[in-house]
């Protein structure tokens, strides 16, 4: 007969997977919520760690400081043209509204600094509202030792490794 362990802990937020969900967990914990991250793998990062870290976050502070001139209306025009009626417009509008705050939260709660992926164009930059200069940001190189012993738990990507043994950005690549 097998014994089943009883688990009786309570949490306000449970995040399954340590990819993009890890940011949700960090944000919840910073706001005083009791948070649990459940990860089945041996490493943190999931498929997010394999992607190179680029994030399409229009109108954020990093882009504005890099001189990117954009508007919510232009971004929504692009998304409306691209997505059409395959998803509710309210979702697109909410994303465009809150994307800048997501970038701010990432930089406020982690050692990550973001940089503009200049000339990493929107996938369909020729559509109305599209951007040839791009709206994506990526983490800038930082010393992973600053996160302590958990550094060994971060998934690395052999699929997108740099051609030289040092951290680089997409522009460098």
């Amino acid at each position: 007969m097998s014994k089943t362990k009883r688990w009786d802990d309570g949490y306000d937020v449970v995040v399954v997977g340590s990819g993009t969900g890890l940011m949700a967990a960090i944000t919840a914990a910073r706001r005083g919520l009791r948070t649990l991250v459940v990860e089945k793998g041996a490493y943190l990062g999931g498929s997010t760690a394999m992607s190179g870290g680029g994030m399409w976050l229009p109108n954020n502070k990093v882009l504005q400081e890099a001189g990117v001139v954009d508007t919510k209306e232009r971004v929504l025009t692009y998304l409306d043209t691209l997505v059409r009626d395959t998803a509710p417009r309210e979702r697109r509008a909410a994303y465009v509204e809150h994307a800048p705050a997501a970038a701010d939260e990432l930089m406020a709660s982690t050692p990550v600094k973001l940089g503009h992926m200049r000339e990493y164009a929107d996938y369909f930059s020729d559509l109305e509202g599209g951007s040839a200069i791009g709206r994506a940001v990526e983490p800038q190189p930082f010393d992973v030792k600053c996160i302590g012993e958990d550094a060994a738990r971060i998934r690395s990507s052999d699929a997108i490794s740099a051609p030289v043994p040092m951290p680089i950005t997409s522009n460098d690549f």
Side-chain angles (χ1 to χ4, degrees):
M1 177 159 67
S2 69
K3 288 189 173 187
T4 304
K5 286 187 177 181
R6 182 167 169 79
W7 187 33
D8 206 16
D9 289 344
Y11 294 91
D12 300 309
V13 176
V14 176
V15 174
V16 179
S18 66
T20 54
L22 194 54
M23 191 64 224
I26 291 168
T27 301
R30 280 177 33 100
R31 284 159 177 71
L33 298 172
R34 192 172 147 116
T35 305
L36 173 69
V37 176
V38 180
E39 172 57 58
K40 72 177 179 179
Y43 298 102
L44 299 173
S47 61
T48 303
M50 306 298 280
S51 73
M55 297 168 277
W56 195 80
L57 297 170
N59 286 327
N60 69 68
K61 189 184 318 180
V62 173
L63 297 177
Q64 292 166 0
E65 289 172 358
V68 175
V69 178
D70 210 354
T71 65
K72 288 179 188 178
E73 293 74 24
R74 188 167 171 250
V75 176
L76 276 171
T77 297
Y78 172 68
L79 290 175
D80 289 344
T81 304
L82 180 63
V83 176
R84 295 184 294 251
D85 63 354
T86 61
R89 188 171 200 274
E90 294 79 25
R91 288 186 186 171
R92 297 189 291 276
Y95 183 81
V96 171
E97 180 68 29
H98 298 287
D104 290 346
E105 180 68 21
L106 176 64
M107 291 185 294
S109 61
T110 71
V112 172
K113 302 299 175 222
L114 299 174
H116 178 212
M117 294 176 74
R118 185 166 295 282
E119 297 177 12
Y120 186 83
D122 289 349
Y123 288 150
F124 301 95
S125 61
D126 57 328
L127 292 179
E128 185 178 357
S131 173
I133 195 169
R135 296 174 167 120
V137 293
E138 67 182 337
Q140 298 301 288
F142 72 96
D143 186 354
V144 73
K145 290 184 236 169
C146 73
I147 62 173
E149 64 186 41
D150 286 333
R153 298 185 64 211
I154 296 175
R155 178 183 308 281
S156 64
S157 172
D158 294 332
I160 58 164
S161 61
V164 292
M166 60 187 295
I168 62 172
T169 64
S170 61
N171 254 356
D172 299 328
F173 198 79

